[in-house]
Amino acid sequence: ISLQRLMQPEAKTNRTAVTEFILLGLVETDNLQPMVFVLFLFAYLVTVGGNLSILAAILVEPKLHTPMYFFLGNLSALDIGCITVTVPAMLGRLLSHKRTVPYAGCLSQLFFFHLLAGMDCFLLTAMAYDRFLAICRPLTYSTRMSQTVQRILVVVPWACAFTNALTHTIALTTLNFCGPCEVNHFYCDLPQLFQLSCSSTRLNELLLFGVGFIMAGTPVVLIISSYIHVAAAVLRIRSAEGRKKAFSTCGSHLTVVCLFYGTGMFNYMRLGSEEASDKDKGVGVFNTVINPMLNPLIYSLRNPDVQGALWRVLVGRRSLT
């Protein structure tokens, strides 16, 4: 007992012993790292270019100055932010062959990642609500989805996402990290950091589940209920062309929702499994790289208005309408 008491002060000082983490990255084989660098640099440039093109099309095309495209523009900005939080830092480590990241840098990356991911949850819900009003309440759509309402549906989610990210970041600072400091991932995230803590993470995991249920569960329920009403309204449309157009605009959004929530639930709803770390890397790539890269493609492929606007942006001509 006396030996344990003597070691306790030392354990407390060990709390600050870990001043940096080592991110093991996607691959540990040196021969594969140049290929990973090229692939992720290409993915980053394609993602940023694709989402900037969507933003440019929405800004310069008067036909796209509607609530639906206002939210789509915000989603494109989020996608750029999400991939920028993780990939450039990873590319820098691959170039410098330095895998360490400072403790404060790790917390910053964690904060911004959860800020943007949380905002994604709410923004996808706002987009579902917009489709619900447009299809189910067309006569009152312009008043119910005014510019003031649009701003509220963006500002309030930013406040909620900020609170969520700050809560998890502050909660993480209460944990003791006394080694090992190797993170089996290519960016800092909660499940991997929980595994490195030498103090109990039970409260942190309960917080992640509880807040996650509110942040993700509530939007999922609202999105599903919105689309049940939308599906019922679309099936009542007599025109086959009208049904096709309605399903087309909703189909793109539903695809993005399924990809986002599917990978997110896989990543955060099964904490405590060390063997799942390699799978987590694949899910992490999907969350931070594949999803943001696919979103412009999904929305432009099934939308002739966006296709036309993108073409006019590329050739430098604006619509006359």
Side-chain angles (χ1 to χ4, degrees), residues 205-263:
E205 290 182 10
L206 287 172
L207 182 69
L208 183 58
F209 275 116
V211 178
F213 183 78
I214 298 167
M215 291 286 294
T218 307
V220 164
V221 171
L222 292 173
I223 290 169
I224 290 171
S225 60
S226 293
Y227 275 107
I228 288 171
H229 287 91
V230 166
V234 170
L235 291 173
R236 287 196 296 268
I237 297 173
R238 292 181 181 179
S239 163
E241 189 63 32
R243 284 199 300 270
K244 185 181 175 183
K245 187 177 180 182
F247 275 127
S248 177
T249 57
C250 296
S252 301
H253 181 245
L254 275 173
T255 305
V256 172
V257 167
C258 291
L259 287 171
F260 177 77
Y261 279 103
T263 52

Side-chain angles (χ1 to χ4, degrees), residues 2 13 15 38 106 115-116 129 164 271 274 296 305:
S2 60
T13 59
R15 180 178 178 178
V38 171
C106 198
L115 171 69
L116 296 168
Y129 177 62
N164 171 62
L271 295 172
E274 290 189 26
D305 291 336

Side-chain angles (χ1 to χ4, degrees), residues 25-132:
L26 282 172
V27 291
E28 294 183 45
T29 310
D30 291 339
N31 296 335
L32 292 175
Q33 289 186 0
M35 185 178 72
V36 171
F37 178 85
V38 171
L39 284 173
F40 275 75
L41 177 61
F42 175 75
Y44 181 72
L45 294 175
V46 167
T47 302
V48 173
N51 283 290
L52 283 176
S53 298
I54 294 284
L55 276 171
I58 291 168
L59 287 171
V60 305
E61 180 61 47
K63 198 187 292 184
L64 301 184
H65 293 172
T66 63
M68 182 173 81
Y69 294 107
F70 169 73
F71 293 125
L72 179 57
N74 276 274
L75 184 67
S76 292
L78 279 178
D79 285 338
I80 293 170
C82 190
I83 197 170
T84 301
V85 165
T86 54
V87 171
M90 186 192 77
L91 294 176
R93 287 191 297 273
L94 285 171
L95 271 181
S96 63
H97 300 287
K98 184 183 176 185
R99 296 187 295 177
T100 57
V101 57
Y103 178 79
C106 198
L107 288 184
S108 299
Q109 187 179 57
L110 177 84
F111 170 79
F112 284 108
F113 178 74
H114 280 268
L115 171 69
L116 296 168
M119 183 57 195
D120 242 328
C121 290
F122 290 116
L123 191 60
L124 290 172
T125 310
M127 293 172 80
Y129 177 62
D130 172 71
R131 291 300 81 210
F132 164 74

Side-chain angles (χ1 to χ4, degrees), residues 183-224:
V183 180
N184 191 15
H185 216 315
F186 64 97
Y187 63 93
C188 294
D189 202 4
L190 292 171
Q192 289 73 35
L193 292 175
F194 287 168
Q195 291 175 7
L196 301 183
S197 174
C198 52
S199 55
S200 175
T201 60
R202 183 171 175 77
L203 286 175
N204 298 74
E205 290 182 10
L206 287 172
L207 182 69
L208 183 58
F209 275 116
V211 178
F213 183 78
I214 298 167
M215 291 286 294
T218 307
V220 164
V221 171
L222 292 173
I223 290 169
I224 290 171

